Amino acid sequence: MISIRDLTVEYRGGHRGIEKVSIKIPTDRVTCIIGPNGAGKSTLLKAIAKIVPYNGYVYLDGLEVSSTPLKTVSRMVSYASQIHSHELLSLSVLEALLVSRYPVSKGFVEGAEDYRSVYNIAREMMIEHLLERRIAELSSGELQRVIIAMALAKDPRYLLFDELDAHVDVGVKAMLSKLIKKWSINKVVVFTTQDILFGVTNGDYFILLDRGRVVFTGNKKDLLSRLGIIEKVYHVKIARYKYSDLDLIVPIYTS
């Protein structure tokens, strides 16, 4: 379980990305974190992954993250977000996937197990045809699939996806919906999204953030019964409808 108590992340200039957050993220359900830009979604995931310093407590399976060696946290957690490193941009997709396995690789030189794992993940994410391409040559949608594959490469217990469905087309979103269920069988999946429909379709447990604070936590049924909270946070009307056995919500962009 991910247990968070009194979490505050403060950036330069005194801006607080997260303020006094206390939540528990279940391990038996897919957790979706939603909220407008600047709500603290990315900051929350970065604190869990030991990417940003924080005040308070973040526990992964009983280990407090700030006092746990980064090497240990890196083996447990994959944080997937946009690539900004120029060093990674110069690598081929295959090289980037192999680099992502370093925390769990058995040696300094990649072995047969590393290559086998990487090729299996490439097939799952349908990026086999991209393996020899440079990261810098990819479209934003192709790059997103590679970023997800890089997170999967070290086979972590916790998968943290920051805007999992960013830049991808509807066909890839449908593929991701199937994969999320598959990953959640033996991993803890937590993802953020700006697409409320995608979030509600694929999440089981929800955390709604606004200005660094939690305004709602609960399961899908509770979220759907309190659409007013979402409308207030996003400043937009939300419509609910049913398709087959799915309960769906979509924002209404017209005035």
Side-chain angles (χ1 to χ4, degrees):
M1 176 178 285
I2 303 174
S3 182
I4 297 169
R5 189 170 79 247
D6 295 329
L7 176 66
T8 296
V9 178
E10 188 169 306
Y11 295 118
R12 285 182 296 179
H15 169 70
R16 291 189 171 184
I18 287 288
E19 186 168 4
K20 294 292 183 181
V21 165
S22 295
I23 53 174
K24 290 184 178 180
I25 297 177
T27 57
D28 59 344
R29 286 171 284 176
V30 176
T31 295
C32 175
I33 304 173
I34 56 176
N37 293 332
K41 302 184 298 297
S42 299
T43 299
L44 178 57
L45 293 188
K46 289 176 181 177
I48 296 170
K50 200 175 180 174
I51 294 173
V52 296
Y54 59 81
N55 294 315
Y57 305 91
V58 178
Y59 293 95
L60 290 175
D61 295 338
L63 297 175
E64 208 292 305
V65 168
S66 65
S67 58
T68 300
L70 180 59
K71 187 175 182 179
T72 301
V73 175
S74 295
R75 287 173 176 168
M76 298 171 64
V77 177
S78 277
Y79 168 78
S81 185
Q82 297 180 25
I83 292 177
H84 298 291
S85 171
H86 292 294
E87 294 178 0
L88 285 177
L89 292 175
S90 67
L91 298 180
S92 70
V93 171
L94 177 58
E95 289 168 336
L97 292 175
L98 289 170
V99 166
S100 298
R101 277 194 56 81
Y102 281 177
V104 294
S105 185
K106 294 180 179 179
F108 293 105
V109 179
E110 296 87 0
E113 182 180 344
D114 297 312
Y115 278 93
R116 184 166 51 252
S117 175
V118 162
Y119 280 109
N120 286 339
I121 291 166
R123 280 192 291 273
E124 181 177 66
M125 292 305 303
M126 299 177 65
I127 57 170
E128 292 173 283
H129 63 294
L130 301 176
L131 288 174
E132 300 305 319
R133 295 262 301 274
R134 297 289 172 186
I135 295 289
E137 299 171 351
L138 304 179
S139 72
S140 56
E142 291 171 334
L143 178 57
Q144 182 66 11
R145 279 188 282 164
V146 171
I147 290 170
I148 295 169
M150 290 171 65
L152 296 168
K154 61 183 178 181
D155 193 24
R157 171 164 166 72
Y158 293 94
L159 284 169
L160 310 180
F161 293 112
D162 194 2
E163 297 200 24
L164 171 62
D165 57 320
H167 308 299
V168 299
D169 59 43
V170 293
V172 175
K173 288 195 180 193
M175 178 187 77
L176 289 176
S177 293
K178 296 177 182 178
L179 289 175
I180 289 170
K181 301 303 180 187
K182 175 184 175 182
W183 298 332
S184 66
I185 293 172
N186 55 16
K187 301 182 188 302
V188 180
V189 180
V190 184
F191 72 96
T192 74
T193 181
Q194 292 293 352
D195 184 342
I196 298 175
L197 175 58
F198 181 82
V200 169
T201 301
N202 295 290
D204 302 309
Y205 188 81
F206 294 85
I207 300 169
L208 175 59
L209 297 175
D210 187 28
R211 300 178 186 179
R213 294 181 179 272
V214 174
V215 295
F216 172 86
T217 61
N219 59 36
K220 184 181 300 187
K221 182 179 179 180
D222 292 335
L223 181 71
L224 293 175
S225 68
R226 303 180 66 185
L227 294 184
I229 296 177
I230 303 177
E231 292 179 331
K232 183 178 180 180
V233 168
Y234 282 97
H235 304 288
V236 66
K237 289 291 184 181
I238 301 292
R240 177 180 178 180
Y241 67 96
K242 198 169 188 67
Y243 174 78
S244 186
D245 60 342
L246 297 175
D247 272 311
L248 305 173
I249 62 174
V250 292
I252 305 300
Y253 297 123
T254 57
S255 57

mmCIF file of all heavy atoms in Angstrom, residues 95-134:
data_model
loop_
_atom_site.group_PDB
_atom_site.id
_atom_site.type_symbol
_atom_site.label_atom_id
_atom_site.label_comp_id
_atom_site.label_asym_id
_atom_site.label_seq_id
_atom_site.Cartn_x
_atom_site.Cartn_y
_atom_site.Cartn_z
ATOM 1 N N GLU A 95 18.060 1.092 -27.048
ATOM 2 C CA GLU A 95 19.027 1.501 -26.033
ATOM 3 C C GLU A 95 18.328 2.106 -24.818
ATOM 4 O O GLU A 95 18.696 1.841 -23.673
ATOM 5 C CB GLU A 95 20.016 2.505 -26.627
ATOM 6 C CG GLU A 95 20.985 1.894 -27.628
ATOM 7 C CD GLU A 95 21.759 2.938 -28.407
ATOM 8 O OE1 GLU A 95 21.275 4.090 -28.528
ATOM 9 O OE2 GLU A 95 22.844 2.604 -28.925
ATOM 10 N N ALA A 96 17.290 2.917 -25.067
ATOM 11 C CA ALA A 96 16.555 3.551 -23.968
ATOM 12 C C ALA A 96 15.849 2.505 -23.107
ATOM 13 O O ALA A 96 15.818 2.617 -21.877
ATOM 14 C CB ALA A 96 15.539 4.552 -24.521
ATOM 15 N N LEU A 97 15.303 1.483 -23.730
ATOM 16 C CA LEU A 97 14.629 0.423 -22.975
ATOM 17 C C LEU A 97 15.632 -0.374 -22.143
ATOM 18 O O LEU A 97 15.353 -0.731 -20.995
ATOM 19 C CB LEU A 97 13.878 -0.503 -23.921
ATOM 20 C CG LEU A 97 12.661 0.099 -24.634
ATOM 21 C CD1 LEU A 97 12.085 -0.896 -25.642
ATOM 22 C CD2 LEU A 97 11.594 0.517 -23.649
ATOM 23 N N LEU A 98 16.785 -0.637 -22.707
ATOM 24 C CA LEU A 98 17.814 -1.364 -21.959
ATOM 25 C C LEU A 98 18.335 -0.539 -20.782
ATOM 26 O O LEU A 98 18.559 -1.061 -19.683
ATOM 27 C CB LEU A 98 18.962 -1.750 -22.892
ATOM 28 C CG LEU A 98 18.632 -2.851 -23.913
ATOM 29 C CD1 LEU A 98 19.751 -2.976 -24.940
ATOM 30 C CD2 LEU A 98 18.398 -4.189 -23.212
ATOM 31 N N VAL A 99 18.524 0.760 -20.994
ATOM 32 C CA VAL A 99 18.943 1.649 -19.905
ATOM 33 C C VAL A 99 17.918 1.623 -18.775
ATOM 34 O O VAL A 99 18.273 1.650 -17.594
ATOM 35 C CB VAL A 99 19.134 3.092 -20.426
ATOM 36 C CG1 VAL A 99 19.234 4.086 -19.274
ATOM 37 C CG2 VAL A 99 20.383 3.184 -21.292
ATOM 38 N N SER A 100 16.646 1.542 -19.123
ATOM 39 C CA SER A 100 15.580 1.537 -18.122
ATOM 40 C C SER A 100 15.623 0.299 -17.241
ATOM 41 O O SER A 100 15.058 0.299 -16.142
ATOM 42 C CB SER A 100 14.212 1.633 -18.808
ATOM 43 O OG SER A 100 14.096 2.829 -19.530
ATOM 44 N N ARG A 101 16.294 -0.739 -17.686
ATOM 45 C CA ARG A 101 16.390 -1.973 -16.901
ATOM 46 C C ARG A 101 17.568 -1.967 -15.923
ATOM 47 O O ARG A 101 17.718 -2.894 -15.125
ATOM 48 C CB ARG A 101 16.527 -3.190 -17.836
ATOM 49 C CG ARG A 101 15.193 -3.673 -18.361
ATOM 50 C CD ARG A 101 15.315 -5.059 -18.987
ATOM 51 N NE ARG A 101 15.861 -6.058 -18.095
ATOM 52 C CZ ARG A 101 15.155 -6.697 -17.160
ATOM 53 N NH1 ARG A 101 13.861 -6.425 -16.993
ATOM 54 N NH2 ARG A 101 15.727 -7.610 -16.386
ATOM 55 N N TYR A 102 18.412 -0.954 -15.967
ATOM 56 C CA TYR A 102 19.615 -0.940 -15.127
ATOM 57 C C TYR A 102 19.350 -1.197 -13.642
ATOM 58 O O TYR A 102 20.113 -1.908 -12.995
ATOM 59 C CB TYR A 102 20.373 0.373 -15.305
ATOM 60 C CG TYR A 102 21.220 0.423 -16.564
ATOM 61 C CD1 TYR A 102 21.931 1.563 -16.914
ATOM 62 C CD2 TYR A 102 21.304 -0.677 -17.422
ATOM 63 C CE1 TYR A 102 22.701 1.615 -18.075
ATOM 64 C CE2 TYR A 102 22.057 -0.630 -18.576
ATOM 65 C CZ TYR A 102 22.756 0.511 -18.898
ATOM 66 O OH TYR A 102 23.512 0.552 -20.049
ATOM 67 N N PRO A 103 18.284 -0.622 -13.052
ATOM 68 C CA PRO A 103 18.064 -0.875 -11.611
ATOM 69 C C PRO A 103 17.871 -2.344 -11.255
ATOM 70 O O PRO A 103 18.099 -2.729 -10.110
ATOM 71 C CB PRO A 103 16.794 -0.059 -11.312
ATOM 72 C CG PRO A 103 16.786 1.017 -12.345
ATOM 73 C CD PRO A 103 17.329 0.364 -13.583
ATOM 74 N N VAL A 104 17.453 -3.156 -12.220
ATOM 75 C CA VAL A 104 17.205 -4.577 -11.920
ATOM 76 C C VAL A 104 18.093 -5.506 -12.733
ATOM 77 O O VAL A 104 18.011 -6.731 -12.588
ATOM 78 C CB VAL A 104 15.714 -4.944 -12.175
ATOM 79 C CG1 VAL A 104 14.814 -4.209 -11.206
ATOM 80 C CG2 VAL A 104 15.312 -4.655 -13.615
ATOM 81 N N SER A 105 18.942 -4.943 -13.576
ATOM 82 C CA SER A 105 19.833 -5.766 -14.387
ATOM 83 C C SER A 105 20.879 -6.431 -13.505
ATOM 84 O O SER A 105 21.310 -5.882 -12.488
ATOM 85 C CB SER A 105 20.518 -4.907 -15.453
ATOM 86 O OG SER A 105 21.287 -5.714 -16.323
ATOM 87 N N LYS A 106 21.318 -7.615 -13.895
ATOM 88 C CA LYS A 106 22.244 -8.392 -13.073
ATOM 89 C C LYS A 106 23.707 -7.999 -13.270
ATOM 90 O O LYS A 106 24.589 -8.495 -12.579
ATOM 91 C CB LYS A 106 22.061 -9.886 -13.359
ATOM 92 C CG LYS A 106 20.701 -10.407 -12.923
ATOM 93 C CD LYS A 106 20.550 -11.879 -13.212
ATOM 94 C CE LYS A 106 19.187 -12.378 -12.740
ATOM 95 N NZ LYS A 106 18.988 -13.821 -13.033
ATOM 96 N N GLY A 107 23.996 -7.147 -14.215
ATOM 97 C CA GLY A 107 25.379 -6.751 -14.438
ATOM 98 C C GLY A 107 25.463 -5.434 -15.175
ATOM 99 O O GLY A 107 24.452 -4.819 -15.512
ATOM 100 N N PHE A 108 26.692 -4.992 -15.410
ATOM 101 C CA PHE A 108 26.907 -3.733 -16.118
ATOM 102 C C PHE A 108 26.672 -3.873 -17.617
ATOM 103 O O PHE A 108 26.452 -2.900 -18.320
ATOM 104 C CB PHE A 108 28.331 -3.221 -15.862
ATOM 105 C CG PHE A 108 28.569 -2.815 -14.437
ATOM 106 C CD1 PHE A 108 29.323 -3.615 -13.584
ATOM 107 C CD2 PHE A 108 28.017 -1.646 -13.934
ATOM 108 C CE1 PHE A 108 29.534 -3.250 -12.273
ATOM 109 C CE2 PHE A 108 28.218 -1.271 -12.624
ATOM 110 C CZ PHE A 108 28.978 -2.072 -11.792
ATOM 111 N N VAL A 109 26.742 -5.105 -18.109
ATOM 112 C CA VAL A 109 26.501 -5.385 -19.519
ATOM 113 C C VAL A 109 25.162 -6.098 -19.646
ATOM 114 O O VAL A 109 24.866 -7.023 -18.893
ATOM 115 C CB VAL A 109 27.631 -6.263 -20.109
ATOM 116 C CG1 VAL A 109 27.347 -6.565 -21.576
ATOM 117 C CG2 VAL A 109 28.981 -5.578 -19.940
ATOM 118 N N GLU A 110 24.358 -5.674 -20.612
ATOM 119 C CA GLU A 110 23.030 -6.273 -20.773
ATOM 120 C C GLU A 110 23.144 -7.755 -21.115
ATOM 121 O O GLU A 110 23.965 -8.156 -21.946
ATOM 122 C CB GLU A 110 22.238 -5.549 -21.881
ATOM 123 C CG GLU A 110 21.920 -4.106 -21.586
ATOM 124 C CD GLU A 110 23.038 -3.167 -22.026
ATOM 125 O OE1 GLU A 110 24.045 -3.675 -22.547
ATOM 126 O OE2 GLU A 110 22.905 -1.950 -21.844
ATOM 127 N N GLY A 111 22.304 -8.557 -20.473
ATOM 128 C CA GLY A 111 22.307 -9.988 -20.730
ATOM 129 C C GLY A 111 21.102 -10.424 -21.521
ATOM 130 O O GLY A 111 20.250 -9.611 -21.911
ATOM 131 N N ALA A 112 21.021 -11.735 -21.742
ATOM 132 C CA ALA A 112 19.920 -12.291 -22.532
ATOM 133 C C ALA A 112 18.570 -11.989 -21.901
ATOM 134 O O ALA A 112 17.585 -11.718 -22.600
ATOM 135 C CB ALA A 112 20.115 -13.798 -22.683
ATOM 136 N N GLU A 113 18.511 -11.998 -20.560
ATOM 137 C CA GLU A 113 17.247 -11.727 -19.875
ATOM 138 C C GLU A 113 16.771 -10.298 -20.133
ATOM 139 O O GLU A 113 15.569 -10.047 -20.307
ATOM 140 C CB GLU A 113 17.415 -11.957 -18.377
ATOM 141 C CG GLU A 113 16.130 -11.756 -17.575
ATOM 142 C CD GLU A 113 16.333 -11.999 -16.091
ATOM 143 O OE1 GLU A 113 17.347 -12.609 -15.715
ATOM 144 O OE2 GLU A 113 15.452 -11.565 -15.315
ATOM 145 N N ASP A 114 17.729 -9.353 -20.157
ATOM 146 C CA ASP A 114 17.381 -7.961 -20.419
ATOM 147 C C ASP A 114 16.799 -7.806 -21.819
ATOM 148 O O ASP A 114 15.768 -7.150 -22.014
ATOM 149 C CB ASP A 114 18.616 -7.070 -20.275
ATOM 150 C CG ASP A 114 19.172 -7.081 -18.864
ATOM 151 O OD1 ASP A 114 18.383 -6.919 -17.923
ATOM 152 O OD2 ASP A 114 20.392 -7.252 -18.712
ATOM 153 N N TYR A 115 17.446 -8.398 -22.799
ATOM 154 C CA TYR A 115 16.960 -8.296 -24.176
ATOM 155 C C TYR A 115 15.601 -8.993 -24.339
ATOM 156 O O TYR A 115 14.707 -8.469 -25.010
ATOM 157 C CB TYR A 115 17.974 -8.907 -25.149
ATOM 158 C CG TYR A 115 19.101 -7.963 -25.495
ATOM 159 C CD1 TYR A 115 20.287 -7.975 -24.772
ATOM 160 C CD2 TYR A 115 18.972 -7.043 -26.534
ATOM 161 C CE1 TYR A 115 21.328 -7.116 -25.073
ATOM 162 C CE2 TYR A 115 20.011 -6.166 -26.855
ATOM 163 C CZ TYR A 115 21.187 -6.208 -26.116
ATOM 164 O OH TYR A 115 22.203 -5.344 -26.422
ATOM 165 N N ARG A 116 15.448 -10.142 -23.715
ATOM 166 C CA ARG A 116 14.175 -10.866 -23.795
ATOM 167 C C ARG A 116 13.046 -10.026 -23.216
ATOM 168 O O ARG A 116 11.963 -9.911 -23.807
ATOM 169 C CB ARG A 116 14.288 -12.198 -23.064
ATOM 170 C CG ARG A 116 13.041 -13.065 -23.180
ATOM 171 C CD ARG A 116 13.307 -14.506 -22.737
ATOM 172 N NE ARG A 116 13.951 -14.580 -21.423
ATOM 173 C CZ ARG A 116 15.221 -14.933 -21.245
ATOM 174 N NH1 ARG A 116 15.989 -15.231 -22.277
ATOM 175 N NH2 ARG A 116 15.731 -15.004 -20.027
ATOM 176 N N SER A 117 13.288 -9.415 -22.070
ATOM 177 C CA SER A 117 12.272 -8.585 -21.431
ATOM 178 C C SER A 117 11.914 -7.381 -22.292
ATOM 179 O O SER A 117 10.734 -7.060 -22.481
ATOM 180 C CB SER A 117 12.783 -8.113 -20.057
ATOM 181 O OG SER A 117 11.863 -7.224 -19.464
ATOM 182 N N VAL A 118 12.936 -6.740 -22.842
ATOM 183 C CA VAL A 118 12.715 -5.537 -23.655
ATOM 184 C C VAL A 118 11.919 -5.868 -24.914
ATOM 185 O O VAL A 118 10.982 -5.139 -25.292
ATOM 186 C CB VAL A 118 14.074 -4.892 -24.005
ATOM 187 C CG1 VAL A 118 13.928 -3.938 -25.187
ATOM 188 C CG2 VAL A 118 14.634 -4.149 -22.799
ATOM 189 N N TYR A 119 12.249 -6.960 -25.576
ATOM 190 C CA TYR A 119 11.524 -7.320 -26.794
ATOM 191 C C TYR A 119 10.084 -7.721 -26.495
ATOM 192 O O TYR A 119 9.165 -7.425 -27.284
ATOM 193 C CB TYR A 119 12.251 -8.439 -27.536
ATOM 194 C CG TYR A 119 13.430 -7.940 -28.362
ATOM 195 C CD1 TYR A 119 14.735 -8.205 -27.976
ATOM 196 C CD2 TYR A 119 13.216 -7.181 -29.511
ATOM 197 C CE1 TYR A 119 15.820 -7.736 -28.723
ATOM 198 C CE2 TYR A 119 14.289 -6.704 -30.266
ATOM 199 C CZ TYR A 119 15.582 -6.989 -29.865
ATOM 200 O OH TYR A 119 16.641 -6.507 -30.603
ATOM 201 N N ASN A 120 9.853 -8.367 -25.366
ATOM 202 C CA ASN A 120 8.474 -8.716 -24.984
ATOM 203 C C ASN A 120 7.642 -7.462 -24.743
ATOM 204 O O ASN A 120 6.476 -7.385 -25.152
ATOM 205 C CB ASN A 120 8.483 -9.580 -23.721
ATOM 206 C CG ASN A 120 8.937 -11.001 -23.988
ATOM 207 O OD1 ASN A 120 8.876 -11.473 -25.126
ATOM 208 N ND2 ASN A 120 9.391 -11.690 -22.955
ATOM 209 N N ILE A 121 8.239 -6.482 -24.075
ATOM 210 C CA ILE A 121 7.529 -5.229 -23.800
ATOM 211 C C ILE A 121 7.286 -4.465 -25.093
ATOM 212 O O ILE A 121 6.223 -3.866 -25.284
ATOM 213 C CB ILE A 121 8.323 -4.376 -22.788
ATOM 214 C CG1 ILE A 121 8.293 -5.057 -21.417
ATOM 215 C CG2 ILE A 121 7.767 -2.959 -22.700
ATOM 216 C CD1 ILE A 121 9.308 -4.503 -20.453
ATOM 217 N N ALA A 122 8.268 -4.480 -25.997
ATOM 218 C CA ALA A 122 8.102 -3.804 -27.286
ATOM 219 C C ALA A 122 6.927 -4.396 -28.058
ATOM 220 O O ALA A 122 6.148 -3.660 -28.684
ATOM 221 C CB ALA A 122 9.390 -3.908 -28.104
ATOM 222 N N ARG A 123 6.777 -5.715 -27.992
ATOM 223 C CA ARG A 123 5.629 -6.349 -28.653
ATOM 224 C C ARG A 123 4.323 -5.931 -27.994
ATOM 225 O O ARG A 123 3.337 -5.637 -28.674
ATOM 226 C CB ARG A 123 5.783 -7.873 -28.625
ATOM 227 C CG ARG A 123 6.716 -8.438 -29.673
ATOM 228 C CD ARG A 123 6.594 -9.944 -29.786
ATOM 229 N NE ARG A 123 7.119 -10.611 -28.606
ATOM 230 C CZ ARG A 123 8.391 -10.953 -28.447
ATOM 231 N NH1 ARG A 123 9.263 -10.677 -29.401
ATOM 232 N NH2 ARG A 123 8.789 -11.569 -27.347
ATOM 233 N N GLU A 124 4.321 -5.913 -26.665
ATOM 234 C CA GLU A 124 3.100 -5.541 -25.941
ATOM 235 C C GLU A 124 2.669 -4.121 -26.277
ATOM 236 O O GLU A 124 1.476 -3.858 -26.468
ATOM 237 C CB GLU A 124 3.342 -5.668 -24.436
ATOM 238 C CG GLU A 124 2.126 -5.318 -23.597
ATOM 239 C CD GLU A 124 2.372 -5.529 -22.113
ATOM 240 O OE1 GLU A 124 3.209 -4.800 -21.533
ATOM 241 O OE2 GLU A 124 1.733 -6.429 -21.537
ATOM 242 N N MET A 125 3.628 -3.206 -26.383
ATOM 243 C CA MET A 125 3.316 -1.808 -26.672
ATOM 244 C C MET A 125 3.277 -1.506 -28.168
ATOM 245 O O MET A 125 3.079 -0.363 -28.571
ATOM 246 C CB MET A 125 4.349 -0.896 -26.000
ATOM 247 C CG MET A 125 4.294 -0.890 -24.476
ATOM 248 S SD MET A 125 2.655 -0.472 -23.839
ATOM 249 C CE MET A 125 2.347 1.122 -24.593
ATOM 250 N N MET A 126 3.487 -2.534 -28.993
ATOM 251 C CA MET A 126 3.442 -2.396 -30.450
ATOM 252 C C MET A 126 4.431 -1.334 -30.943
ATOM 253 O O MET A 126 4.089 -0.458 -31.744
ATOM 254 C CB MET A 126 2.016 -2.079 -30.908
ATOM 255 C CG MET A 126 1.016 -3.172 -30.553
ATOM 256 S SD MET A 126 -0.695 -2.787 -31.005
ATOM 257 C CE MET A 126 -0.567 -2.738 -32.798
ATOM 258 N N ILE A 127 5.668 -1.446 -30.454
ATOM 259 C CA ILE A 127 6.719 -0.511 -30.880
ATOM 260 C C ILE A 127 7.937 -1.262 -31.431
ATOM 261 O O ILE A 127 9.030 -0.689 -31.515
ATOM 262 C CB ILE A 127 7.161 0.420 -29.726
ATOM 263 C CG1 ILE A 127 7.655 -0.402 -28.524
ATOM 264 C CG2 ILE A 127 6.027 1.365 -29.320
ATOM 265 C CD1 ILE A 127 8.321 0.448 -27.449
ATOM 266 N N GLU A 128 7.758 -2.517 -31.809
ATOM 267 C CA GLU A 128 8.886 -3.286 -32.350
ATOM 268 C C GLU A 128 9.519 -2.584 -33.558
ATOM 269 O O GLU A 128 10.745 -2.603 -33.715
ATOM 270 C CB GLU A 128 8.430 -4.679 -32.752
ATOM 271 C CG GLU A 128 8.039 -5.577 -31.596
ATOM 272 C CD GLU A 128 7.444 -6.884 -32.081
ATOM 273 O OE1 GLU A 128 6.270 -6.885 -32.494
ATOM 274 O OE2 GLU A 128 8.178 -7.885 -32.069
ATOM 275 N N HIS A 129 8.680 -1.963 -34.372
ATOM 276 C CA HIS A 129 9.189 -1.307 -35.582
ATOM 277 C C HIS A 129 9.958 -0.022 -35.272
ATOM 278 O O HIS A 129 10.590 0.560 -36.169
ATOM 279 C CB HIS A 129 8.021 -0.990 -36.516
ATOM 280 C CG HIS A 129 7.020 -0.022 -35.940
ATOM 281 N ND1 HIS A 129 6.239 -0.330 -34.843
ATOM 282 C CD2 HIS A 129 6.690 1.254 -36.298
ATOM 283 C CE1 HIS A 129 5.459 0.699 -34.565
ATOM 284 N NE2 HIS A 129 5.718 1.666 -35.426
ATOM 285 N N LEU A 130 9.932 0.406 -34.014
ATOM 286 C CA LEU A 130 10.611 1.643 -33.633
ATOM 287 C C LEU A 130 11.952 1.402 -32.936
ATOM 288 O O LEU A 130 12.666 2.362 -32.639
ATOM 289 C CB LEU A 130 9.722 2.468 -32.677
ATOM 290 C CG LEU A 130 8.353 2.890 -33.194
ATOM 291 C CD1 LEU A 130 7.579 3.605 -32.083
ATOM 292 C CD2 LEU A 130 8.489 3.798 -34.414
ATOM 293 N N LEU A 131 12.311 0.161 -32.686
ATOM 294 C CA LEU A 131 13.450 -0.136 -31.823
ATOM 295 C C LEU A 131 14.764 0.469 -32.308
ATOM 296 O O LEU A 131 15.614 0.854 -31.497
ATOM 297 C CB LEU A 131 13.604 -1.658 -31.658
ATOM 298 C CG LEU A 131 12.541 -2.323 -30.790
ATOM 299 C CD1 LEU A 131 12.712 -3.839 -30.809
ATOM 300 C CD2 LEU A 131 12.607 -1.807 -29.355
ATOM 301 N N GLU A 132 14.945 0.578 -33.611
ATOM 302 C CA GLU A 132 16.203 1.123 -34.130
ATOM 303 C C GLU A 132 16.136 2.638 -34.361
ATOM 304 O O GLU A 132 17.146 3.251 -34.710
ATOM 305 C CB GLU A 132 16.589 0.410 -35.434
ATOM 306 C CG GLU A 132 16.779 -1.102 -35.280
ATOM 307 C CD GLU A 132 17.791 -1.453 -34.202
ATOM 308 O OE1 GLU A 132 18.828 -0.770 -34.115
ATOM 309 O OE2 GLU A 132 17.525 -2.411 -33.442
ATOM 310 N N ARG A 133 14.979 3.219 -34.156
ATOM 311 C CA ARG A 133 14.823 4.671 -34.342
ATOM 312 C C ARG A 133 15.369 5.422 -33.132
ATOM 313 O O ARG A 133 15.354 4.929 -32.009
ATOM 314 C CB ARG A 133 13.339 5.016 -34.512
ATOM 315 C CG ARG A 133 12.702 4.443 -35.756
ATOM 316 C CD ARG A 133 12.633 5.418 -36.897
ATOM 317 N NE ARG A 133 11.881 6.604 -36.540
ATOM 318 C CZ ARG A 133 10.550 6.707 -36.646
ATOM 319 N NH1 ARG A 133 9.828 5.664 -37.041
ATOM 320 N NH2 ARG A 133 9.941 7.831 -36.338
ATOM 321 N N ARG A 134 15.849 6.625 -33.360
ATOM 322 C CA ARG A 134 16.298 7.489 -32.276
ATOM 323 C C ARG A 134 15.080 8.098 -31.572
ATOM 324 O O ARG A 134 14.068 8.408 -32.213
ATOM 325 C CB ARG A 134 17.197 8.614 -32.803
ATOM 326 C CG ARG A 134 18.482 8.111 -33.441
ATOM 327 C CD ARG A 134 19.425 7.570 -32.407
ATOM 328 N NE ARG A 134 20.582 6.914 -33.023
ATOM 329 C CZ ARG A 134 21.508 6.258 -32.355
ATOM 330 N NH1 ARG A 134 21.410 6.137 -31.032
ATOM 331 N NH2 ARG A 134 22.515 5.684 -32.982
#
